[in-house]
Amino acid sequence: MRATARAQPNIALIKYWGKRDTEQNLPAVGSISITLADLYTTMRVGFDESLSADSLVVNDTGNPVMLPRVSRCLDAVVGADRAPALIASESNFPIAAGLASSASAFAALVVAADAAAATHHSRERLARLAGQASGSAARSIYGGFVELANDDDAIEVSTLCPADDWPLSVVVAITATGPKAVGSTEAMETSRATSPFYARWVEQQNDDLDEARAGIGARDFARLAAVAEHNCLKMHSVMWASRPPMVYWNATTLECMDAVRQMQAEGIPVFFTIDAGPQLKAVCEPAAVEAVRERLAATEGVEAVMVTGLGDGARLIDDG
Ligand code: PMV
């Protein structure tokens, strides 16, 4: 009744922002992401009838705040009549700072719980279960370039291109640590209810998905770069125009964007993307990774940089 799974965060190149069903946590738009290789969450789940309640330890510290969400996710995977569980999570990167730690955490959680309780769900079902807990987590079930298609009454997640088939690199510039000001669920709802750009955002998403899919299919870096930056800035425009406005960037985020622009002008194959947090993620061809790392590390205000390639989906690492 115990198992351990590992999953990596993913970074959306075509973003998910907005929900069409808050009850089932279904996204209003499809998205395309890349699953990372070297940042990961390891999740141990043990069901034990002798426990009186679930308990959650995150990086060696009890975490009662996240526990209800984790318990709900376990109920969805195993059934509400399950035994209480001891859940222990460890991540090798800052959590709750716009680095998609909830994606790697919930992807690893559903895989570990499924093995511990021997429920034998399909990969597709596990992706839906992870997505119910955190929309972006559905994508971390799969590796490489991943599309989450937003179908009529469900989501459909699949790998468009395995990590090894187009091995890009990602340099994450950490511009601030600590939890973000507004969580994504609340922020998305504020955008849906108040942003004058929200409807256009949803309307245009399929065009951006088509363009990104074509860029990935052709391994055309410049084509993917152009649509990814456009989609990222469009999502942030929706946030900026919300009431109250949500600005996740800081001055260093802008410095990093400027550094990427300068590198592009020098012919370096790199583009940026930014999620609901102040970190900038620079995606580049592997030959450029040293130059990108150095330039971002030297950018005023950057606290740290992390470098990673693309990796595989969530998997079991111990089922005993
Ligand atoms: O899955 P959530 O609720 O953490 O939302 C993720 C939202 C973004 O990271 C901003 C975009 C995305 O597609 O990952």
Side-chain angles (χ1 to χ4, degrees):
M1 295 300 273
R2 253 192 340 204
T4 306
R6 182 168 285 173
Q8 293 91 254
N10 67 78
I11 290 177
L13 304 183
I14 303 299
K15 309 288 189 189
Y16 148 51
W17 194 253
K19 300 182 199 290
R20 69 179 146 92
D21 182 334
T22 45
E23 197 60 35
Q24 293 187 65
N25 202 32
L26 288 171
V29 291
S31 53
I32 290 178
S33 60
I34 43 179
T35 300
L36 305 182
D38 301 318
L39 317 183
Y40 55 81
T41 300
T42 306
M43 185 73 69
R44 199 171 67 240
V45 176
F47 294 104
D48 184 345
E49 290 291 358
S50 70
L51 298 171
S52 58
D54 292 342
S55 73
L56 171 67
V57 176
V58 177
N59 293 337
D60 293 327
T61 309
N63 191 326
V65 176
M66 278 296 285
L67 181 61
R69 225 171 129 192
V70 167
S71 294
R72 267 200 309 279
C73 181
L74 292 182
D75 289 349
V77 176
V78 180
D81 55 351
R82 65 181 171 81
L86 195 60
I87 310 117
S89 157
E90 261 170 54
S91 294
N92 70 344
F93 60 96
I95 55 174
L99 281 176
S101 56
S102 68
S104 52
F106 283 106
L109 183 71
V110 298
V111 171
D114 179 59
T119 37
H120 305 296
H121 292 304
S122 66
R123 217 69 197 152
E124 294 76 34
R125 176 103 184 103
L126 289 175
R128 285 185 187 157
L129 289 163
Q132 264 170 29
S134 166
S136 56
R139 300 185 309 235
S140 277
I141 295 290
Y142 294 86
F145 292 77
V146 176
E147 175 159 14
L148 184 152
N150 180 36
D151 288 340
D152 286 343
D153 55 2
I155 56 164
E156 202 68 58
V157 193
S158 59
T159 290
L160 292 174
C161 165
D164 292 344
D165 285 13
W166 196 15
L168 298 181
S169 301
V170 180
V171 180
V172 182
I174 308 286
T175 67
T177 46
K180 55 188 162 197
V182 189
S184 54
T185 297
E186 184 188 337
M188 285 183 198
E189 204 40 31
T190 301
S191 288
R192 189 195 58 75
T194 67
S195 179
F197 303 152
Y198 182 78
R200 282 294 275 160
W201 156 256
V202 173
E203 236 172 74
Q204 289 190 353
Q205 187 78 343
N206 280 342
D207 294 344
D208 290 359
L209 289 166
D210 289 346
E211 179 66 9
R213 218 181 291 112
I216 293 164
R219 314 284 189 266
D220 184 336
F221 188 86
R223 189 167 181 182
L224 181 61
V227 71
E229 287 192 357
H230 167 70
N231 187 267
C232 165
L233 293 174
K234 199 159 55 177
M235 176 185 77
H236 284 277
S237 307
V238 171
M239 298 172 178
W240 282 38
S242 299
R243 291 177 180 233
M246 290 164 301
V247 179
Y248 285 104
W249 306 350
N250 58 34
T252 306
T253 317
L254 281 163
E255 290 288 343
C256 289
M257 238 190 257
D258 194 45
V260 170
R261 288 272 178 261
Q262 279 174 31
M263 288 189 273
Q264 288 171 337
E266 292 163 22
I268 296 174
V270 59
F271 67 86
F272 67 80
T273 190
I274 304 160
D275 293 300
Q279 328 307 358
L280 179 134
K281 292 104 181 193
V283 181
C284 64
E285 291 185 349
V289 73
E290 222 8 69
V292 173
R293 195 193 64 76
E294 264 176 36
R295 194 76 71 90
L296 288 175
T299 298
E300 169 104 44
V302 169
E303 293 184 11
V305 290
M306 294 186 293
V307 178
T308 172
L310 307 191
D312 295 329
R315 69 225 162 267
L316 207 55
I317 56 171
D318 185 0
D319 59 0

